[in-house]
Amino acid sequence: MPVNNAFREIAIEKAVKQTVLIDSLLEESPILAGMPMEPSTHGLSNVFEKITSVKGAGMVDFDAPLGSLDATTELEQRDLSIIGGEMFVGEDKAKKFGGASTYFDKKLPVILKNTGQQIEQAIIYNNLRAFAIEEGKAESVGGSGNVNYSILAVTWTKGEITGLYDPEGFGNGKVFDMTPINGGNLYKDTASGILGYGMRIKSYMGVQLANKRYISSLVNIDLDSATPKIPTEKMMDNLLLNCRANSSTVIYMHPRVLTELYDYKAARLQMSVGDRNVDRVIAYWNGTPIVTSYNFLNALEPKVTL
């Protein structure tokens, strides 16, 4: 990945004892794993200064009066989101597994894998894509139904477009705070009325989106209609221009969308009689890496009206 301080790196560095949990969380969530992270300024919220207008210095003649300089800013705040839930196991089942702790340890990997997928889908649709659409940084490819896809291009930028974590949580060596309910003692579950044991899992994370210049999107990509709406090469080029692409930029899409872009390489592919392998795969667009994720909706996005 072209970005530093990715979630996986920060999580493993800060929470050495939870490496196995981190691997489970990120197993099928490549966008979350590679998202750069910064500590929040105030625990569960991040306060930052947003520049709204700037008047900089200009060139003047000798002995000419100097112009005025000014920068207008606003203080804004982004709250982190809670990630967590509760697990419960009945007294008898816990005994069969050798205790409640053993039971929870066995169930956590599959739970965290699904948790990572849900977090990543929320980052895609509730944060990155929603921000691009709201700020007028999305271009329609032309799909009109409810079976569409999207492509995102994000230039991760320190202090402006970045993930956020609570340093008080990570600083204690835990990505997830795991606390036994009722002190780990037997209690009656109100939902089932069964006696057993519980575990509460909680963490805090957020996404700061403070500068629309560094994000862009292609929406309404329809691959299944009689006349498919597929991004043109020009659209892909503009996608990068519109997010001021640099070495910190990443393109995100569903794997099926990427297979459609293979045709742009195939049209230029030259083979000889002795070649036995047709390699149409692309992993970059104009030098910008492409990351695919199955956490994009698969032909289920409704049409976006811009």
Side-chain angles (χ1 to χ4, degrees):
M1 294 292 294
V3 293
N4 297 319
N5 300 320
F7 181 88
R8 180 185 291 276
E9 298 172 357
I10 295 292
I12 291 176
E13 176 188 344
K14 301 291 185 181
V16 177
K17 294 182 179 180
Q18 292 189 338
T19 301
V20 175
L21 299 184
I22 295 164
D23 287 341
S24 298
L25 177 75
L26 302 177
E27 184 177 351
E28 292 191 8
S29 304
I31 297 175
L32 174 60
M35 183 173 69
M37 304 292 291
E38 294 180 20
S40 59
T41 57
H42 296 77
L44 302 184
S45 64
N46 190 66
V47 178
F48 63 97
E49 193 173 30
K50 183 177 180 180
I51 298 175
T52 56
S53 64
V54 179
K55 185 177 182 181
M59 299 180 68
V60 299
D61 295 331
F62 284 108
D63 296 323
L66 296 176
S68 61
L69 309 178
D70 191 21
T72 305
T73 63
E74 294 178 355
L75 281 180
E76 294 197 8
Q77 177 176 307
R78 292 287 184 272
D79 293 331
L80 275 62
S81 299
I82 298 174
I83 303 165
E86 297 179 4
M87 292 192 296
F88 178 82
V89 59
E91 180 182 11
D92 296 331
K93 182 179 286 188
K95 187 177 295 184
K96 287 183 178 181
F97 275 84
S101 295
T102 303
Y103 174 82
F104 292 141
D105 287 345
K106 288 182 179 295
K107 291 199 74 173
L108 265 176
V110 65
I111 290 173
L112 289 179
K113 178 180 176 180
N114 181 262
T115 298
Q117 293 171 321
Q118 292 189 53
I119 293 171
E120 181 162 293
Q121 190 165 95
I123 290 171
I124 292 170
Y125 289 102
N126 299 346
N127 293 278
L128 301 176
R129 181 175 177 268
F131 182 67
I133 293 171
E134 180 182 339
E135 295 295 336
K137 298 301 296 292
E139 179 183 358
S140 175
V141 179
S144 58
N146 296 312
V147 293
N148 299 308
Y149 295 88
S150 295
I151 297 176
L152 289 164
V154 183
T155 300
W156 297 105
T157 307
K158 184 175 177 60
E160 297 185 286
I161 306 292
T162 182
L164 298 170
Y165 69 89
D166 175 13
E168 295 177 7
F170 277 34
N172 290 330
K174 296 179 180 179
V175 173
F176 290 97
D177 176 29
M178 303 171 62
T179 301
I181 299 174
N182 196 37
N185 299 313
L186 197 66
Y187 71 97
K188 180 177 286 189
D189 178 47
T190 55
S192 63
I194 299 173
L195 287 171
Y197 305 90
M199 177 73 72
R200 190 269 288 146
I201 302 173
K202 184 180 287 187
S203 186
Y204 300 92
M205 191 181 70
V207 181
Q208 179 158 302
L209 302 167
N211 196 331
K212 65 180 182 180
R213 292 184 299 178
Y214 300 127
I215 192 166
S216 60
S217 179
L218 295 176
V219 297
N220 301 332
I221 301 169
D222 184 352
L223 307 181
D224 296 314
S225 67
T227 55
K229 306 301 181 182
I230 301 169
T232 64
E233 293 172 282
K234 186 65 175 179
M235 286 179 176
M236 291 298 297
D237 293 342
N238 286 337
L239 181 74
L240 295 178
L241 285 172
N242 290 335
C243 70
R244 302 196 176 197
N246 58 35
S247 60
S248 295
T249 305
V250 187
I251 300 172
Y252 301 111
M253 66 185 72
H254 190 281
R256 190 177 172 210
V257 178
L258 180 59
T259 61
E260 295 296 328
L261 300 183
Y262 290 170
D263 288 345
Y264 293 125
K265 178 179 177 181
R268 297 164 175 78
L269 190 64
Q270 295 184 356
M271 300 185 68
S272 65
V273 175
D275 290 333
R276 298 184 179 183
N277 179 44
V278 178
D279 185 359
R280 301 170 66 239
V281 176
I282 58 173
Y284 297 83
W285 190 275
N286 292 343
T288 299
I290 297 171
V291 172
T292 61
S293 172
Y294 285 103
N295 295 317
F296 277 89
L297 296 176
N298 187 7
L300 290 173
E301 292 181 11
K303 176 188 174 182
V304 177
T305 301
L306 302 176

